[in-house]
Amino acid sequence: MGYDKEVDGIGVIVLASVTALGGGTLRDILLDEPIFWIDQVYYLYSTYIAILLTILSIRHVSRLSQNYLLFFDAVGLGLFNIIGIEKSLINETGMVVAITMGVTTGVFGGLIRDVICKEIPLVMRGELYATACIAGGLVYAALLYAGAPYAWCILGALFTTVFLRLGAIHWGWQPKLYRKKNPG
Amino acid sequence: MGYDKEVDGIGVIVLASVTALGGGTLRDILLDEPIFWIDQVYYLYSTYIAILLTILSIRHVSRLSQNYLLFFDAVGLGLFNIIGIEKSLINETGMVVAITMGVTTGVFGGLIRDVICKEIPLVMRGELYATACIAGGLVYAALLYAGAPYAWCILGALFTTVFLRLGAIHWGWQPKLYRKKNPG
Amino acid sequence: MGYDKEVDGIGVIVLASVTALGGGTLRDILLDEPIFWIDQVYYLYSTYIAILLTILSIRHVSRLSQNYLLFFDAVGLGLFNIIGIEKSLINETGMVVAITMGVTTGVFGGLIRDVICKEIPLVMRGELYATACIAGGLVYAALLYAGAPYAWCILGALFTTVFLRLGAIHWGWQPKLYRKKNPG
């Protein structure tokens, strides 16, 4: 996160905090819930500790373990997505709002990070970030309406999101809804 | 919106949603109102439907109908502006806050879109985006204080904003409040 | 602020408003407080007046007085930091959240400005922006827990932030928490 960019150490911490907490923060603002890391402050502590551990260990991260990072990133995306959906449903929003909240929670932290780093945001470039969240949300909704047990809804949504995201990385899946004007 | 950029289909939907809903969302957050598209979910439905229709019809959009797009964009800006002003006044803010809220509602969606797409935001580049909103707000305030009928306030503000915005596009009007250091 | 960029006059006002009010606005949103410039509207008035005075006087600003600008910017950063910490503590958050709020208040306005202007944000590039806020917050916390008089906490935090920030500008101090991959 920002590792190759020309940022200083504290900048990395700010950037990593925004990435980790940004999506959930926006979700809580939109739902008018107390912000989760202010309400339950151990979220903030564990974020800072995780960031410091990452910075301390980063020179030992080899190419091999990058695959682990991508795997945990995909699992994190899936979990953030489900947390967003459920927190939204608890607030008695409809399912369309809930799926939107899932995407928001999963995607906006990384979107803000990419905007700050002046990258074209990942969510805009394909790689099935938002798509994987939406698909997971649709599976969650389908299983819920079909009367499936609660654990199935969670696991189905999680599996769908992680599978699509990892598939996008591994096999280069990419959605194409419109035709480009120029191939450039 | 993002059509020429290197974004995928779902990215276009995310981008279009943020553009359409972003300004009003920020307004509701600032006023501590329930977010309009969560509170009244048909706003969210119609946004998604409009985006899908746009994507499906976009290859049929010719140069001619771009003028219609710009016209509807200007009318949308004018309406967003008035909605922001009125929602603010209902919350018993003063007129200066209300005009600021009108600009926020009208402009921030597009500002966020341009930031995500790594464009210099339209509102920053002139073309009277924010200016048209402010002028509309001032006309609204003037008519209101002069005791004009309610419909006049609305129509006067709407006409002012749309006229300035279309004039900026058509005749290249641009505000100049300061002198540039370099002409480059 | 945006002076050398290709922005129009109203764009400068929008940009300056976001810079001046952005950090505190985000703080109030996160703490679920009324937004300070809506609740106490003279903040909004004085911001607009200050911006207009700045625009009117900007051609008279020489190289010499830029040092005054940087000094006042540093003092402003220190004050924003303390206001963020105190408003957070009044809302009965813990000290870690309060220091985070101080950084948010001090830094996010400028962060948003740099993102809109497509700069690598100052806070990311070093120059001890966030670091100075964090250090000021730690001094505040240390003095508070040591039972120092209230004024000492304020002055200690303010002095620390301003000193580090000005030192970073003058002597090029910069934090280095990790090693770069490429020197480029």
Side-chain angles (χ1 to χ4, degrees):
Chain A
M1 290 185 263
Y3 184 61
D4 299 327
K5 289 269 167 179
E6 204 182 304
V7 299
D8 73 56
I10 299 292
V12 169
I13 296 177
V14 173
L15 199 56
S17 310
V18 170
T19 308
L21 304 174
T25 302
L26 181 56
R27 175 202 61 212
D28 291 342
I29 291 172
L30 294 177
L31 292 175
D32 206 10
E33 288 282 297
I35 310 299
F36 67 103
W37 52 269
I38 297 177
D39 200 45
Q40 296 173 293
V41 77
Y42 57 86
Y43 279 115
L44 189 62
Y45 296 155
S46 34
T47 303
Y48 285 154
I49 291 169
I51 293 170
L52 290 176
L53 288 180
T54 306
I55 291 176
L56 293 176
S57 67
I58 204 158
R59 71 192 62 184
H60 306 297
V61 176
S62 64
R63 194 86 190 93
L64 184 79
S65 54
Q66 279 232 338
N67 288 330
Y68 289 102
L69 282 182
L70 285 172
F71 175 75
F72 285 119
D73 182 69
V75 173
L77 186 71
L79 289 175
F80 277 30
N81 188 27
I82 292 168
I83 295 169
I85 292 171
E86 304 226 308
K87 199 157 185 178
S88 186
L89 290 177
I90 287 169
N91 277 270
E92 308 203 333
T93 67
M95 188 50 88
V96 174
V97 170
I99 293 176
T100 305
M101 285 297 154
V103 177
T104 304
T105 312
V107 160
F108 264 80
L111 180 61
I112 300 167
R113 174 199 59 203
D114 291 340
V115 163
I116 292 176
C117 286
K118 302 211 298 166
E119 301 278 349
I120 289 276
L122 262 183
V123 60
M124 295 294 144
R125 275 188 304 171
E127 302 207 1
L128 297 186
Y129 239 88
T131 316
C133 288
I134 294 170
L138 292 176
V139 167
Y140 184 97
L143 289 172
L144 191 74
Y145 290 137
Y150 182 61
W152 286 33
C153 300
I154 305 261
L155 287 176
L158 182 60
F159 178 79
T160 307
T161 304
V162 172
F163 178 72
L164 283 177
R165 176 76 187 113
L166 291 181
I169 295 169
H170 203 256
W171 292 293
W173 293 342
Q174 213 172 325
K176 284 284 171 213
L177 288 193
Y178 66 96
R179 197 185 302 265
K180 276 267 195 61
K181 269 170 179 168
N182 313 322
Chain B
M1 291 185 265
Y3 183 63
D4 300 327
K5 289 269 167 177
E6 203 181 305
V7 300
D8 73 56
I10 299 292
V12 169
I13 296 176
V14 173
L15 200 56
S17 311
V18 170
T19 308
L21 305 174
T25 302
L26 181 57
R27 176 203 60 212
D28 290 342
I29 292 172
L30 294 177
L31 293 174
D32 205 10
E33 288 281 298
I35 310 299
F36 68 104
W37 52 268
I38 297 177
D39 200 46
Q40 296 172 292
V41 77
Y42 57 86
Y43 279 115
L44 189 62
Y45 295 156
S46 34
T47 303
Y48 285 153
I49 291 169
I51 293 169
L52 289 176
L53 288 180
T54 306
I55 290 176
L56 292 176
S57 67
I58 204 158
R59 71 192 63 184
H60 306 297
V61 177
S62 63
R63 194 85 191 93
L64 184 79
S65 55
Q66 279 233 336
N67 288 330
Y68 289 102
L69 282 182
L70 285 171
F71 176 75
F72 284 119
D73 181 69
V75 173
L77 185 73
L79 289 175
F80 278 29
N81 188 27
I82 291 167
I83 294 169
I85 292 170
E86 305 227 307
K87 199 156 185 179
S88 185
L89 290 177
I90 288 168
N91 277 270
E92 309 204 333
T93 67
M95 188 50 90
V96 173
V97 171
I99 293 176
T100 305
M101 285 296 154
V103 177
T104 303
T105 312
V107 159
F108 264 79
L111 179 61
I112 300 167
R113 174 199 58 203
D114 291 340
V115 163
I116 292 176
C117 286
K118 304 211 296 167
E119 302 278 348
I120 290 276
L122 262 182
V123 61
M124 295 294 144
R125 275 188 304 173
E127 302 207 1
L128 297 185
Y129 239 88
T131 316
C133 288
I134 294 170
L138 292 175
V139 167
Y140 184 98
L143 289 172
L144 191 74
Y145 290 136
Y150 181 62
W152 286 32
C153 300
I154 305 259
L155 288 176
L158 183 60
F159 177 79
T160 307
T161 305
V162 172
F163 178 71
L164 283 176
R165 177 75 188 114
L166 291 180
I169 295 168
H170 203 257
W171 293 292
W173 294 341
Q174 213 172 326
K176 283 286 170 211
L177 287 193
Y178 65 96
R179 197 184 302 263
K180 277 267 194 61
K181 269 169 179 167
N182 313 321
Chain C
M1 292 186 264
Y3 183 62
D4 299 329
K5 289 271 166 177
E6 205 181 302
V7 299
D8 73 55
I10 298 292
V12 169
I13 296 176
V14 173
L15 200 56
S17 311
V18 170
T19 308
L21 305 174
T25 302
L26 181 56
R27 175 202 61 211
D28 290 342
I29 291 172
L30 294 177
L31 293 174
D32 205 9
E33 289 280 297
I35 310 298
F36 67 103
W37 52 269
I38 297 177
D39 200 44
Q40 296 172 292
V41 78
Y42 58 87
Y43 279 115
L44 190 62
Y45 295 155
S46 33
T47 303
Y48 285 153
I49 291 169
I51 293 170
L52 290 175
L53 289 180
T54 307
I55 290 175
L56 293 176
S57 68
I58 204 158
R59 72 192 60 185
H60 306 297
V61 176
S62 63
R63 195 84 191 95
L64 184 79
S65 55
Q66 278 233 338
N67 288 330
Y68 289 102
L69 282 181
L70 285 172
F71 175 75
F72 285 119
D73 181 69
V75 173
L77 186 73
L79 290 175
F80 277 30
N81 188 28
I82 291 167
I83 295 169
I85 292 171
E86 304 226 308
K87 198 156 186 178
S88 186
L89 290 177
I90 288 167
N91 277 270
E92 309 204 333
T93 68
M95 188 50 90
V96 174
V97 171
I99 293 176
T100 305
M101 285 297 154
V103 177
T104 303
T105 311
V107 160
F108 263 79
L111 180 60
I112 300 167
R113 174 199 59 204
D114 291 340
V115 163
I116 292 176
C117 286
K118 302 210 299 165
E119 301 278 347
I120 289 277
L122 262 182
V123 60
M124 294 294 143
R125 275 189 303 173
E127 301 207 1
L128 297 185
Y129 240 87
T131 316
C133 288
I134 294 170
L138 292 176
V139 167
Y140 184 98
L143 289 171
L144 191 74
Y145 289 137
Y150 181 62
W152 286 33
C153 300
I154 305 260
L155 287 176
L158 182 60
F159 178 79
T160 307
T161 304
V162 172
F163 178 71
L164 283 177
R165 176 77 189 113
L166 292 180
I169 295 168
H170 202 257
W171 292 293
W173 293 342
Q174 213 172 327
K176 283 285 171 212
L177 287 193
Y178 66 96
R179 197 186 301 264
K180 278 264 194 64
K181 268 171 180 165
N182 313 320

